[in-house]
Amino acid sequence: MARIFAFVACGLILASVVPNIALGQEKKGEKKSTEAQQSAGAQPSAEEMADAMTATMPGKVHEQLAKLEGKWKVTMSIVMEGMEPQKSEGNAELKMILGGRFVQETGDASMMGFPVEHSRLWGYNNGTKKYQAVWIYTMSTGFLQLEGSSDDDGKTVQWKGHFDNEVGVREDITAITMFVDDDHFEIELSAEKMPDGSSGPKMKSVYTRDK
């Protein structure tokens, strides 16, 4: 049961632009003299600076994520082998923060008879071309960290993630986010197998825009 709670609990820039550009310049200039390398590293071109700045700004994917802003009704279900499905309902609010770079989600629900609050940060890293997320819940003091990618222009995102359970042991999960339309999306979480080899718990959350 503790493992189920741990699973439920997990279901969360401009930074060094010039140094990174300097490193890239140095690698490109391996055939140049040491003096030329230093000069290139210390003075990135205007074009390179513009490209670096563009990478720090919200793009097309962030515009898609911005469509999630608003209030939502959430229907959740947990399925685990040998147990009756556990269902509950909750609410969530999503909004863009930090100049449209990230989605911040907050919400509450009742899960397996316990009140649960959650906070999540979603985003898309222009540098790695990956979706990234960090989720936290009141049923845990740990973080669920996720990274994902999409092969259909953001309609479906495949995630891989991990968290440290209630005894500090790392557990891996997979997740799928499906954006049905502007008023509906779903998240499915699947945990790894149980110690006895049976299927791990699965949790599905269905979001419907609260109009």
Side-chain angles (χ1 to χ4, degrees):
M1 183 64 72
R3 191 169 188 270
I4 302 174
F5 286 154
F7 174 71
V8 175
C10 284
L12 164 204
I13 311 181
L14 180 59
S16 304
V17 171
V18 174
N20 286 336
I21 294 174
L23 179 59
Q25 283 280 34
E26 187 172 339
K27 289 183 178 179
K28 292 180 180 178
E30 288 180 353
K31 295 183 180 180
K32 297 181 180 180
S33 66
T34 302
E35 182 178 352
Q37 288 178 328
Q38 292 174 344
S39 176
Q43 299 179 13
S45 70
E47 181 179 357
E48 289 167 334
M49 285 296 296
D51 289 343
M53 289 300 296
T54 297
T56 71
M57 302 300 292
K60 178 181 177 181
V61 177
H62 300 90
E63 292 177 0
Q64 294 176 327
L65 292 174
K67 294 179 181 180
L68 297 175
E69 281 196 299
K71 295 183 178 181
W72 300 80
K73 294 292 186 181
V74 187
T75 301
M76 293 164 286
S77 62
I78 296 179
V79 178
M80 186 169 179
E81 195 171 309
M83 295 181 61
E84 290 293 324
Q86 303 290 319
K87 297 183 178 182
S88 63
E89 296 183 349
N91 301 282
E93 183 173 3
L94 284 71
K95 62 180 180 180
M96 300 301 291
I97 63 171
L98 300 182
R101 290 171 175 80
F102 305 96
V103 182
Q104 182 182 61
E105 176 182 345
T106 55
D108 59 80
S110 176
M111 184 62 67
M112 300 178 68
F114 292 88
V116 180
E117 295 180 27
H118 73 263
S119 181
R120 300 171 177 172
L121 285 178
W122 307 35
Y124 181 80
N125 189 324
N126 289 331
T128 62
K129 309 300 182 186
K130 297 284 187 179
Y131 292 84
Q132 296 176 336
V134 178
W135 297 357
I136 53 177
Y137 291 80
T138 52
M139 294 180 71
S140 174
T141 56
F143 293 84
L144 170 60
Q145 302 179 57
L146 296 152
E147 185 173 76
S149 59
S150 176
D151 297 325
D152 56 7
D153 294 325
K155 295 179 181 178
T156 304
V157 180
Q158 304 278 350
W159 303 86
K160 290 185 178 180
H162 66 272
F163 64 95
D164 296 327
N165 66 19
E166 70 281 358
V167 294
V169 176
R170 172 172 166 152
E171 295 193 31
D172 296 320
I173 69 162
T174 57
I176 302 175
T177 303
M178 295 164 284
F179 299 101
V180 181
D181 54 42
D182 289 348
D183 296 324
H184 302 86
F185 72 95
E186 303 176 2
I187 303 174
E188 293 185 1
L189 296 176
S190 299
E192 59 187 5
K193 290 185 177 181
M194 301 294 284
D196 62 3
S198 61
S199 299
K202 298 179 183 296
M203 183 170 71
K204 182 176 182 177
S205 300
V206 178
Y207 289 68
T208 301
R209 191 178 296 277
D210 188 4
K211 295 184 177 180

